[in-house]
Amino acid sequence: MATTTSLSPETPSTPGEPETTAPAPLTPAFSPLYQQIKVLILKSLQAGEWKPGELIPSEMDLAARFRVSQGTVRKAIDELAAENLVSRRQGKGTFVSTHAEQQVQYRFLRLMPDSGDLSSEGPAERQIVDCKRLRAPADIAHPLALRTGDAVLQLRRVLAFQGTPTIIEDVWLPGGPFKGLTADRLAAYRGPMYALFETEFGVHMVRAEEKIRAIAADAASARLLGLPQGEPLLSVERIAYTYNDVPMELRRGLYRTDTHHYKNALS
Amino acid sequence: MATTTSLSPETPSTPGEPETTAPAPLTPAFSPLYQQIKVLILKSLQAGEWKPGELIPSEMDLAARFRVSQGTVRKAIDELAAENLVSRRQGKGTFVSTHAEQQVQYRFLRLMPDSGDLSSEGPAERQIVDCKRLRAPADIAHPLALRTGDAVLQLRRVLAFQGTPTIIEDVWLPGGPFKGLTADRLAAYRGPMYALFETEFGVHMVRAEEKIRAIAADAASARLLGLPQGEPLLSVERIAYTYNDVPMELRRGLYRTDTHHYKNALS
DNA sequence: TAGTGGTCTAGACCACAGG
DNA sequence: CTGTGGTCTAGACCACTAC
């Protein structure tokens, strides 16, 4: 079959339409079939056709829907699974990834106790310190692809492990998608913050980038963590993205690393 | 074909041999064919049948050699490529990964300037501060899977970018595989340290794990980096592994992160 | 027993690199 | 032109899950 033609399911191309008004070929036109299928599945995920935790159609069903062979759908799903957007379970089906009900509680948290792992420390004790709406200054707006002055939510919380405050997090969220988020709703929610984002606001974080630095604790941070001012802390600046690389969260964490460390694997 | 039988190329099993003396089924006996192929290719890589930078046999050749279909070999190589052990180049073939002649100079270095990338800063200026043999104390021997008192090489160097000393690295290597490594040979070598390890000592690092902390600069570190004592530094403790998860290097880096940051991607 | 993902095969054709 | 990896297909069978 031609690999040079683009593809749209149940929606034959409209040859009469002038190319100039075509909605821009996000599908780069000269890509393998399975890549086109991947994009189509991605669009369905983004559109919420299947929600986090749900079962997506079987490979055979998708193959029929897209008029390709099962192997081609398989390769598309393989890539989605490699990117942790879906997870396959033999005999059951393929499920949309979720930050809730995941065996790993904190999918994006790389902090580990120096001995054992996070789960061995029991659930983190969370305390919301602050939650307010404000107009984004430039250095907040820019990473979130907003304009200076746009409404953002800012919240600050402290995470403690086994009674020891270990993490301070400042989180900035775009005001629009997260309208209605309050400290109370956050405090009431059991489970990871990203799980709440999924269920309450329909925002699914799929990947993130972090910039890590060593800094000295300022007065406020030192007080919250019960450390002397000037103590070295790990500064972890994260931008989290939804589908299509849209930034939806800016987060700055301060980790104490005398009893914990940030773990990373290189290959 | 049976997926429950194990496989050995040109070396039919020896049924007469008692199982108790069998060299232990590293191939877990009940694994898919392509996994068994992967292990066989891995063994060839480890044995040095194809060296870093070299071309490995084509998929068809390997398929013939292992008596399986090309698609099965392909899936095995797919996984090796995903782990960065080999890299595929369309029209050319599949090559053993190398730390030399790679477009990316520092495959394992995650430090980035706050604006731009490492290559935009030109080559790092390297200075060997120290290089000596010693008997490993317990905290060095253990991560290297050595015994306390075994011979190890210790070296210290400083990396500067655009004239600014930015990284101090202490490196510990097992004395056996790296017999003959001297400060002079290191200083004379152009290219990444891991490339020298490959060409001069036949040690190919394939993956690494890092533990990251924030610490305060001690007197010696502060002097080498031209910073005031007590300044926060990023401590990056790395264990690098060759094939088969054998640890071959312990490295502790101290990064100044006022102009640079450690970059990490999460998914 | 039926349905799912997982493996394996064989064959065709495409895209790319290099003689 | 040949040989390489890359894509796509169709069909068979296996392993796991759930009814």
Side-chain angles (χ1 to χ4, degrees):
Chain A
M1 180 168 294
T3 64
T4 52
T5 55
S6 67
L7 198 129
S8 48
E10 334 295 26
T11 311
S13 58
T14 57
E17 190 178 354
E19 291 181 4
T20 49
T21 67
L26 289 181
T27 312
F30 290 109
S31 68
L33 244 192
Y34 77 89
Q35 286 285 2
Q36 302 178 36
I37 303 299
K38 182 184 169 187
V39 169
L40 292 174
I41 297 175
L42 221 30
K43 282 182 180 169
S44 289
L45 287 170
Q46 184 181 3
E49 183 174 340
W50 317 300
K51 302 206 182 322
E54 287 181 6
L55 190 63
I56 77 172
S58 75
E59 294 177 354
M60 288 303 276
D61 287 352
L62 289 171
R65 167 165 166 181
F66 297 131
R67 315 293 222 78
V68 298
S69 78
Q70 184 248 12
T72 300
V73 169
R74 183 164 187 78
K75 182 145 190 184
I77 295 181
D78 275 344
E79 291 208 350
L80 294 172
E83 296 168 19
N84 282 315
L85 294 177
V86 300
S87 76
R88 330 182 71 142
R89 299 179 210 167
Q90 187 173 122
K92 290 186 174 177
T94 301
F95 296 79
V96 183
S97 294
T98 174
H99 290 268
E101 69 154 338
Q102 198 140 356
Q103 53 280 62
V104 182
Q105 270 289 70
Y106 300 98
R107 204 176 111 193
F108 284 175
L109 182 58
R110 291 285 179 273
L111 196 70
M112 298 285 167
D114 286 341
S115 52
D117 60 3
L118 265 188
S119 57
S120 71
E121 292 193 322
E125 303 118 43
R126 297 167 300 182
Q127 185 193 350
I128 309 293
V129 176
D130 193 17
C131 179
K132 61 189 174 201
R133 288 178 69 86
L134 50 88
R135 303 210 160 272
D139 60 330
I140 300 296
H142 185 251
L144 288 173
L146 299 176
R147 290 182 185 153
T148 305
D150 282 356
V152 292
L153 266 159
Q154 176 179 354
L155 60 99
R156 163 172 287 204
R157 66 171 181 173
V158 176
L159 296 186
F161 297 103
Q162 296 183 321
T164 305
T166 306
I167 297 179
I168 305 173
E169 280 182 332
D170 283 302
V171 180
W172 291 270
L173 301 165
F178 289 96
K179 190 181 295 290
L181 179 59
T182 62
D184 285 350
R185 283 178 87 175
L186 260 173
Y189 190 82
R190 303 265 152 242
M193 193 184 291
Y194 289 148
L196 180 146
F197 291 175
E198 283 175 9
T199 57
E200 309 277 318
F201 301 95
V203 175
H204 184 187
M205 304 297 190
V206 297
R207 69 176 191 90
E209 289 174 358
E210 294 190 330
K211 293 182 180 180
I212 305 167
R213 292 184 172 82
I215 64 162
D218 61 20
S221 306
R223 189 173 43 75
L224 282 170
L225 291 177
L227 292 172
Q229 187 173 342
E231 193 78 1
L233 294 178
L234 211 60
S235 160
V236 180
E237 194 177 301
R238 177 192 298 172
I239 303 177
Y241 299 86
T242 351
Y243 296 111
N244 276 62
D245 288 334
V246 177
M248 281 299 252
E249 183 201 61
L250 174 62
R251 183 181 292 218
R252 193 212 195 192
L254 294 177
Y255 301 174
R256 59 182 294 179
T257 52
D258 48 351
T259 57
H260 293 66
H261 61 268
Y262 186 104
K263 185 180 181 180
N264 196 25
L266 310 176
S267 73
Chain B
M1 182 168 295
T3 63
T4 52
T5 55
S6 65
L7 198 128
S8 48
E10 336 293 27
T11 312
S13 58
T14 57
E17 189 177 356
E19 291 182 5
T20 49
T21 68
L26 289 180
T27 312
F30 290 109
S31 68
L33 244 192
Y34 76 89
Q35 286 285 4
Q36 302 178 37
I37 303 299
K38 182 184 169 187
V39 169
L40 292 174
I41 296 175
L42 221 30
K43 283 182 180 169
S44 289
L45 286 169
Q46 186 180 2
E49 183 174 339
W50 318 300
K51 303 209 179 324
E54 287 181 6
L55 189 63
I56 76 172
S58 74
E59 294 177 354
M60 288 303 277
D61 286 352
L62 290 171
R65 167 166 165 181
F66 296 133
R67 314 294 220 81
V68 298
S69 78
Q70 184 249 12
T72 300
V73 169
R74 181 165 188 78
K75 182 145 190 185
I77 295 180
D78 275 345
E79 292 207 349
L80 295 173
E83 296 167 20
N84 283 315
L85 295 178
V86 300
S87 75
R88 330 181 72 142
R89 298 180 210 165
Q90 186 173 118
K92 289 185 174 178
T94 301
F95 296 78
V96 183
S97 295
T98 173
H99 290 267
E101 68 153 338
Q102 199 141 355
Q103 54 280 62
V104 183
Q105 269 290 69
Y106 300 98
R107 204 175 111 194
F108 284 174
L109 181 58
R110 290 285 181 272
L111 196 70
M112 298 286 169
D114 286 341
S115 52
D117 60 3
L118 264 189
S119 58
S120 70
E121 291 192 322
E125 303 118 43
R126 298 166 300 183
Q127 186 192 349
I128 309 293
V129 177
D130 194 16
C131 179
K132 62 190 176 203
R133 288 179 70 86
L134 50 88
R135 303 210 161 271
D139 60 332
I140 300 296
H142 186 249
L144 289 174
L146 299 176
R147 288 182 185 155
T148 304
D150 281 357
V152 292
L153 267 159
Q154 175 179 356
L155 60 98
R156 162 172 288 204
R157 67 171 182 173
V158 176
L159 296 186
F161 297 103
Q162 297 181 320
T164 304
T166 306
I167 298 179
I168 305 172
E169 280 183 331
D170 284 302
V171 180
W172 291 269
L173 301 165
F178 289 97
K179 188 181 296 290
L181 179 59
T182 64
D184 285 349
R185 283 178 88 174
L186 260 173
Y189 190 82
R190 303 265 152 242
M193 193 185 291
Y194 289 149
L196 180 146
F197 291 174
E198 284 176 8
T199 55
E200 309 278 318
F201 301 94
V203 175
H204 185 188
M205 303 298 189
V206 297
R207 68 176 193 91
E209 289 174 358
E210 294 191 330
K211 294 182 179 180
I212 304 166
R213 292 184 172 82
I215 63 160
D218 60 20
S221 306
R223 188 174 43 76
L224 282 171
L225 291 176
L227 292 172
Q229 187 172 344
E231 193 77 1
L233 295 177
L234 211 59
S235 161
V236 180
E237 194 177 301
R238 176 192 297 172
I239 303 176
Y241 299 85
T242 349
Y243 296 111
N244 275 64
D245 288 334
V246 178
M248 281 299 252
E249 182 202 61
L250 173 63
R251 182 182 292 218
R252 193 210 194 193
L254 294 177
Y255 302 174
R256 59 182 294 179
T257 53
D258 47 351
T259 57
H260 293 65
H261 62 269
Y262 186 105
K263 185 180 182 181
N264 195 26
L266 310 175
S267 72

